[in-house]
Amino acid sequence: MPRATSYPSAEGPVLGLETMNRRRSPRPVQARTDEQLAAEWDQVAAGRDQLIAEGRDLSYHYILLPALLQLSTEWLKPNHRILDAGCGTGKFASELARDHPKSQITGVDPSASSIEIAQANRPVVDNVEFHCMSVEAYVAAKELQPFDLIIANMLLQNVSSLSSVLDACARVLSPTGAFVFAVPHPCFWPRYWKYEKAPWFRYNKETWIEAPFRTSLAPDTVVTTSHTHRPLQSYFEAFTLAGLVVEELIEPYPDQGVEGAYPIAWEFPRFLLGRCRPQRRETS
């Protein structure tokens, strides 16, 4: 398939490599609060939703969703309760509700603009609901029945406290449930976006990074978002402290036809996805 350079890659907070050098490169910043992060995503919510709706986010459609569904299949059953943690504008949650009408889907996100889009644009069905709250606030504010499946798609790098988010998810996860996550690959994302050798970057150091949220169709945007680089060790330690055990990891690649649509060839995995299960408690 010929390389279609008109396609945007639309992957997360750093987009449009062709403009990186002559415009603004990723830079380290002070740690963000949840309120600051929500405000950043308020600014990009409408444009992000449009990209997904028009099928112009290749990685969302061809990398992340297939891998998330692969990891979640066993828990996508009738009468199961599913939490989309960091649901954004609700596209994924709405599609889960459509495809699994006997399951109950809940989407939570602290970005008010994202939830407004979800509530206004998604089909009104009985088995999906959206809440403008962080995962921690949602769990703390409500008496909840356990969830059979919790999905955190590109959330964990965008939270002020990883441990708080994982603790909240673990508290409402059924003993037989699953926690499925997707993050930018800690080993390769810095190389892909070419800050791996920046003087301020060290792989083993947790670093907040601010970068333009660009796509090929909007190279002149001045809007920025922030995310945290965390080494793999930090993620695995946080899972363990929350009582979650990683049982499967996926480093997905596009198939040959889809890869040809990316402006930049895939030399290494760009995302890391996994499934965790609650740690089994010893019985005496």
Side-chain angles (χ1 to χ4, degrees):
M1 177 178 179
R3 189 171 302 281
T5 55
S6 61
Y7 279 82
S9 58
E11 297 171 348
V14 186
L15 301 167
L17 283 178
E18 67 276 6
T19 63
M20 290 284 284
N21 291 331
R22 62 188 177 87
R23 298 188 185 275
R24 190 175 182 183
S25 298
R27 66 186 184 98
V29 292
Q30 294 295 316
R32 299 305 198 218
T33 66
D34 286 332
E35 292 75 18
Q36 289 173 320
L37 293 167
E40 290 178 357
W41 285 98
D42 282 345
Q43 296 181 78
V44 302
R48 177 91 176 122
D49 186 65
Q50 184 176 357
L51 283 172
I52 293 174
E54 294 175 353
R56 292 185 291 147
D57 186 338
L58 297 176
S59 290
Y60 175 85
H61 289 284
Y62 298 109
I63 304 296
L64 294 171
L65 288 195
L68 290 168
L69 293 173
Q70 177 184 335
L71 291 164
S72 303
T73 298
E74 186 177 338
W75 290 268
L76 295 172
K77 295 180 179 179
N79 302 316
H80 272 199
R81 288 169 44 80
I82 301 168
L83 175 63
D84 185 358
C87 67
T89 59
K91 177 70 170 173
F92 184 36
S94 181
E95 290 174 348
L96 286 175
R98 178 198 64 200
D99 296 338
H100 303 278
K102 295 185 178 181
S103 296
Q104 181 62 42
I105 319 298
T106 300
V108 298
D109 198 288
S111 164
S113 296
S114 295
I115 294 300
E116 287 174 4
I117 292 171
Q119 293 173 334
N121 293 359
R122 305 300 167 226
V124 178
V125 293
D126 293 336
N127 67 323
V128 64
E129 60 183 18
F130 297 102
H131 300 275
C132 183
M133 307 173 77
S134 68
V135 178
E136 310 96 299
Y138 176 70
V139 170
K142 297 180 178 293
E143 293 290 334
L144 298 172
Q145 296 295 318
F147 287 95
D148 301 285
L149 174 65
I150 300 176
I151 299 175
N153 178 27
M154 299 296 283
L155 169 70
L156 301 182
Q157 77 279 5
N158 291 324
V159 296
S160 64
S161 173
L162 178 62
S163 61
S164 296
V165 170
L166 293 178
D167 285 344
C169 290
R171 286 202 303 273
V172 293
L173 184 62
S174 165
T176 59
F179 175 79
V180 173
F181 67 91
V183 294
H185 202 304
C187 299
F188 300 109
W189 195 256
R191 184 182 307 175
Y192 176 53
W193 292 114
K194 302 189 184 305
Y195 58 82
E196 179 185 45
K197 296 182 179 180
W200 50 265
F201 178 77
R202 293 293 183 272
Y203 172 79
N204 63 346
K205 180 182 177 182
E206 292 194 16
T207 305
W208 276 95
I209 300 168
E210 180 189 79
F213 191 98
R214 293 193 182 109
T215 71
S216 297
L217 299 181
D220 296 319
T221 182
V222 295
V223 177
T224 59
T225 59
S226 307
H227 70 283
T228 310
H229 163 79
R230 294 184 178 94
L232 278 175
Q233 178 178 340
S234 294
Y235 281 111
F236 277 73
E237 287 177 348
F239 291 142
T240 300
L241 289 173
L244 298 170
V245 179
V246 178
E247 71 171 8
E248 184 173 354
L249 292 173
I250 298 178
E251 298 173 302
Y253 276 76
D255 62 34
Q256 186 174 5
V258 173
E259 183 177 0
Y262 280 88
I264 299 174
W266 282 58
E267 300 177 33
F268 34 72
R270 301 178 186 179
F271 302 96
L272 179 68
L273 294 92
R275 183 176 63 239
C276 300
R277 303 293 303 282
Q279 186 173 12
R280 294 182 180 179
R281 296 178 180 176
E282 298 293 335
T283 58
S284 55

